[in-house]
Amino acid sequence: MVTGSLADTTDVDVKELVEGLNFAQKVERSLSLIEQTLAEFGDGLVVANSLGKDSSVVWHLAKQVSPDIRGFIVTTRFKPDETKQFMAEEVTRYPELRVFSNDEEIPDRLYASDPDRCCDILKVRPTRDAIREMNVTCWVTGLRCTEGRTRTDFKEVEERDEGLVKLNPILLWYEREVWQYLALNKVDVNPLYAQGYRSLGCWPCTKVAQGADERAGRWIGTSKCGGECGIHTRPLLDRKR
Ligand code: SF4
């Protein structure tokens, strides 16, 4: 349950803050949110690291607050080689990052015939495993409300699953501010960004795309186009598979 000053974040006008705060104020706010949440949840606070640019920011911020903060990565058999290589480097550098995946058999090209089911099996289920096995009571994500049409309806601190708080500490950041932070702090990023990608996922479902919607290159040609894999929209404390 969210208590104290963290509970106040549920009433803020997100859009007003996105436009009203400058870069430095947003960094300060993000660090403060992680500090407050860590004080409340202690070791139960764990960062979900997708190996994308936003996660790289959140991981770097969290490590400034406390080097002991743990994290998890959910990977799939369809991650691009560049992401797998970057994952290996990050896990070597940060042994407190645990990797979760689901290797069960699935139908061929399930990503094309039923991407929702594919994401549920390969992404949502291992996320549930991570939350259960690491005793997570507050997970920290790199979700941002300016990323695309499916991400406008989130709060900085949420409790979509009762008993599991979600902190979105960079919810207010623009894409430009993410790159500003990464450049200023010389943070290593997934090499796929050099090829023009703006939002990263599994190779069959990720294309280079231009335009206002940062996630427009995800699941192109399917009903999920520009959408979500489910970890931010599905229940995560469901113990049943
Ligand atoms: S992003 Fe594509 S390949 Fe990856 S789990 Fe989802 S549907 Fe399957």
Side-chain angles (χ1 to χ4, degrees), residues 19-229:
E19 291 167 7
L21 296 182
N22 65 35
F23 170 71
Q25 289 168 325
K26 288 184 185 178
V27 173
E28 199 177 319
R29 184 178 177 92
S30 302
L31 286 168
S32 170
L33 279 171
I34 298 170
E35 272 168 22
Q36 289 176 64
T37 320
L38 183 64
E40 184 163 340
F41 293 91
D43 199 40
L45 178 141
V46 177
V47 176
N49 188 334
S50 72
L51 303 167
K53 64 188 188 310
D54 311 294
S55 286
S56 293
V57 169
V58 171
W59 187 244
H60 190 270
L61 289 167
K63 288 288 148 183
Q64 287 181 69
V65 174
S66 168
D68 296 331
I69 289 178
R70 301 174 300 155
F72 69 84
I73 294 168
V74 169
T75 191
T76 78
R77 66 201 77 181
F78 297 119
K79 290 290 182 185
D81 289 343
E82 291 88 343
T83 299
K84 289 180 186 165
Q85 178 61 35
F86 184 56
M87 178 172 76
E89 290 163 9
E90 290 292 279
V91 170
T92 301
R93 190 168 166 203
Y94 300 105
E96 66 275 25
L97 265 177
R98 283 184 59 184
V99 177
F100 291 81
S101 62
N102 183 357
D103 298 327
E104 74 184 60
E105 275 200 34
I106 58 173
D108 273 353
R109 294 177 52 83
L110 186 60
Y111 51 78
S113 59
D114 192 346
D116 282 327
R117 187 163 158 243
C118 189
C119 277
D120 185 60
I121 296 169
L122 299 185
K123 290 186 166 181
V124 178
R125 291 184 191 181
T127 303
R128 288 188 187 128
D129 291 343
I131 284 166
R132 186 182 61 248
E133 288 182 30
M134 295 180 78
N135 297 316
V136 179
T137 51
C138 174
W139 66 304
V140 187
T141 87
L143 190 143
R144 294 177 18 256
C145 65
T146 61
E147 277 178 279
R149 61 176 172 78
T150 59
R151 300 219 158 169
T152 56
D153 175 34
F154 289 87
K155 301 281 183 192
E156 288 169 305
V157 182
E158 307 181 314
E159 194 170 354
R160 291 186 179 225
D161 290 88
E162 197 180 337
L164 176 66
V165 168
K166 179 162 75 159
L167 175 67
N168 304 312
I170 63 167
L171 185 78
L172 310 176
W173 293 34
Y174 287 117
E175 184 180 21
R176 183 255 303 161
E177 291 165 329
V178 167
W179 287 112
Q180 202 169 347
Y181 182 91
L182 294 167
L184 288 168
N185 291 283
K186 300 183 172 52
V187 179
D188 291 338
V189 294
N190 191 316
L192 284 172
Y193 290 112
Q195 296 180 27
Y197 291 92
R198 292 167 68 200
S199 178
L200 303 179
C202 299
W203 63 260
C205 307
T206 308
K207 301 279 181 292
V208 173
Q210 293 288 85
D213 190 336
E214 213 175 307
R215 293 174 61 80
R218 307 289 294 274
W219 298 286
I220 281 179
T222 77
S223 56
K224 247 169 128 62
C225 186
E228 295 290 329
C229 68

